[in-house]
Amino acid sequence: MSLTFSPWQMFLGAGPVVRCVMTLLAAASVVTWTIFIAKTVELVRLRAQLKKSETALEDADTLHLGEEWTRDGAGIAHAMVLAAEAERRRSEDIPADREGIKERIVLHLERLEAAEGRRLMRGTGVLATIGATSPFIGLFGTVWGIMSSFTGIAAAHATSLAVVAPGIAEALLATALGLVAAIPAVVIYNHLARQTAACRACVADLTSLVMRLVSRDLARAALAASGNVVRFMAAAE
């Protein structure tokens, strides 16, 4: 008579250590797919918001308009514009230092860009850990299960295949679960890394657009100041 073992039956028949390993790997697989769904929704929404903000900054003529048109999103673009405006206000007493103002704004925008990049990568480190450790955790469960099987064989003084096979099958299930947890984690991690890189490129484009508005506003201010000097000299003559 042949016996048929389902994965659930093998799980129930495994020892406590192997069963804990299988439970841990199943939980890791659930975490992997949960992160995948959550990050995918987050990145899709962010890509749409970044594209909308990029269009708004592209169409804006001044930094003030850029702040007004990105106010609804309240995302990284709005934060960048507010940072640029704040630095301009702090530098009102040194209007001639145009290059210094630009440099300070760039430094602030780079910090915001780096912070956004770290936020985008949040959660993906767990996927890397699962992908790297799951095969070894499954292998540990397999080795432990086989050791327990051979110990049982020695205690029973029986060497027939019917005695050995169930314990080895239960132990090998741990390796299978380790691969089931590891392979999707690695694939999903690489996919999210590519999507995150695309979003970071969009954030870098926003930095360039904000700096273009800053440069344009500073040039206008310089021309206005120059025009006032010319009119003053003409009136004096």
Side-chain angles (χ1 to χ4, degrees):
M1 186 178 69
S2 61
L3 296 176
T4 302
F5 291 95
S6 67
W8 180 247
Q9 288 174 331
M10 287 189 285
F11 171 78
L12 294 178
V17 175
V18 179
R19 196 180 300 175
C20 289
V21 168
M22 293 180 183
T23 303
L24 179 62
L25 293 173
S29 183
V30 172
V31 170
T32 295
W33 289 104
T34 301
I35 292 176
F36 171 67
I37 294 172
K39 293 296 291 186
T40 298
V41 173
E42 177 188 353
L43 292 175
V44 168
R45 291 179 177 175
L46 181 62
R47 287 285 294 274
Q49 183 183 16
L50 291 176
K51 291 296 182 183
K52 182 179 178 181
S53 299
E54 185 176 347
T55 302
L57 293 178
E58 187 77 34
D59 295 338
D61 293 330
T62 64
L63 200 61
H64 178 73
L65 280 179
E67 187 275 332
E68 182 179 347
W69 291 353
T70 58
R71 194 177 300 163
D72 294 338
I76 183 63
H78 190 64
M80 285 181 169
V81 174
L82 289 179
E85 286 189 332
E87 181 57 40
R88 281 199 58 191
R89 286 195 299 270
R90 294 191 185 103
S91 304
E92 286 180 350
D93 56 333
I94 45 173
D97 188 23
R98 294 176 54 197
E99 295 302 320
I101 295 174
K102 290 181 183 179
E103 182 179 354
R104 289 188 293 273
I105 291 176
V106 167
L107 291 175
H108 201 160
L109 296 184
E110 285 178 350
R111 290 182 59 190
L112 291 175
E113 187 177 337
E116 183 70 8
R118 290 192 297 270
R119 189 188 69 82
L120 291 176
M121 291 298 294
R122 190 181 305 159
T124 57
V126 178
L127 297 177
T129 302
I130 292 174
T133 60
S134 291
F136 298 101
I137 295 174
L139 182 61
F140 167 76
T142 298
V143 172
W144 189 275
I146 291 176
M147 288 171 53
S148 300
S149 297
F150 281 115
T151 302
I153 292 169
H157 300 286
T159 57
S160 65
L161 187 61
V163 176
V164 177
I168 294 178
E170 293 162 2
L172 290 175
L173 180 61
T175 298
L177 288 177
L179 295 177
V180 168
I183 294 173
V186 173
V187 174
I188 291 172
Y189 175 81
N190 292 332
H191 170 72
L192 293 180
R194 290 192 296 269
Q195 297 300 316
T196 300
C199 290
R200 294 180 70 172
C202 292
V203 174
D205 293 339
L206 293 179
T207 301
S208 300
L209 290 173
V210 171
M211 286 308 303
R212 188 172 70 177
L213 294 177
V214 170
S215 178
R216 190 180 295 160
D217 285 354
L218 291 176
R220 288 194 182 103
L223 288 176
S226 176
N228 289 335
V229 171
V230 171
R231 285 193 297 271
F232 176 77
M233 292 177 63
E237 293 176 354

